[in-house]
Amino acid sequence: MVDHALRVEQERAERERRGEVPIRPALTRGDLYRELALVNPRTGRRRAERVIAFTNPLAANPGETLSRVRIFQLGFEAPELQVCFPDILGGNAWVDFFWRRVRKIGEFDGFLKYGTGPVLGNRDPSSVVWQEKQREDALRAQVNSFDRWGWDLALSPTRFHAFLTERGVPRA
């Protein structure tokens, strides 16, 4: 939830910079720490501080946040988030997770990306799948490996651990 709050705040602040809404500074980790100090909880302070320290507004959706938490819990190296690969199919391609040391891309994919509904807009699901395949092929040429996972793996610590281990994600 904290990843999402910071991400939404960064997006709001960007809209304000473009003049779309009145200007107000984006929520920051510092704001969260100050609010925690004001609330001054009798229990859970250290846990809340760890959550604030761990949060990252670059996590684009709940599946990416869950993946980050699992990667940490399972003792794997923290990836960089939302890394840009320039000039992929004539534009910039952003990837969810990147382990630079081993040149590995990881992508969390939920069904909404490929199913019908508001995420697709007027695009045909088969064309979205085809475009994503082309993007992945172009990215694979830039790295040592590229792997995808979804909710079923990220929700299961045992299965996600096996998946990451088998695919050579480095340990912390």
Side-chain angles (χ1 to χ4, degrees):
M1 291 186 328
V2 180
D3 283 354
H4 178 72
L6 291 179
R7 180 176 184 82
V8 166
E9 277 293 297
Q10 284 189 347
E11 290 170 353
R12 180 198 50 77
E14 180 57 33
R15 285 191 307 274
E16 288 177 351
R17 280 190 286 281
R18 292 191 309 256
E20 296 173 16
V21 291
I23 294 180
R24 187 177 86 231
L27 182 69
T28 66
R29 278 193 188 97
D31 295 330
L32 296 174
Y33 283 122
R34 283 187 290 282
E35 186 66 23
L36 181 62
L38 286 173
V39 171
N40 195 21
R42 291 178 17 190
T43 61
R45 174 184 293 279
R46 280 195 293 248
R47 178 178 281 184
E49 288 170 343
R50 286 194 309 268
V51 168
I52 293 168
F54 184 74
T55 192
N56 189 327
L58 295 177
N61 58 58
E64 289 180 24
T65 294
L66 173 61
S67 298
R68 289 182 57 244
V69 170
R70 287 284 190 248
I71 289 165
F72 171 78
Q73 289 173 330
L74 297 170
F76 290 94
E77 183 178 298
E80 295 175 52
L81 303 182
Q82 303 306 324
V83 172
C84 179
F85 285 78
D87 199 28
I88 299 295
L89 303 176
N92 293 332
W94 297 86
V95 299
D96 299 340
F97 303 96
F98 186 56
W99 288 270
R100 191 172 300 274
R101 184 168 58 86
V102 293
R103 303 212 35 84
K104 177 174 204 41
I105 291 173
E107 293 267 291
F108 177 88
D109 281 342
F111 178 75
L112 288 178
K113 185 174 189 174
Y114 304 106
T116 59
V119 173
L120 294 183
N122 293 328
R123 299 175 299 163
D124 173 57
S126 62
S127 68
V128 171
V129 171
W130 178 252
Q131 289 169 353
E132 188 63 17
K133 181 192 178 318
Q134 298 303 305
R135 174 184 171 271
E136 182 175 327
D137 288 347
L139 285 165
R140 280 184 186 278
Q142 305 293 314
V143 297
N144 294 334
S145 63
F146 185 118
D147 289 297
R148 294 179 183 275
W149 60 86
W151 287 105
D152 58 333
L153 283 175
L155 285 168
S156 169
T158 304
R159 291 180 58 215
F160 199 44
H161 182 274
F163 176 86
L164 296 174
T165 299
E166 289 167 2
R167 282 152 179 85
V169 172
R171 304 289 295 179

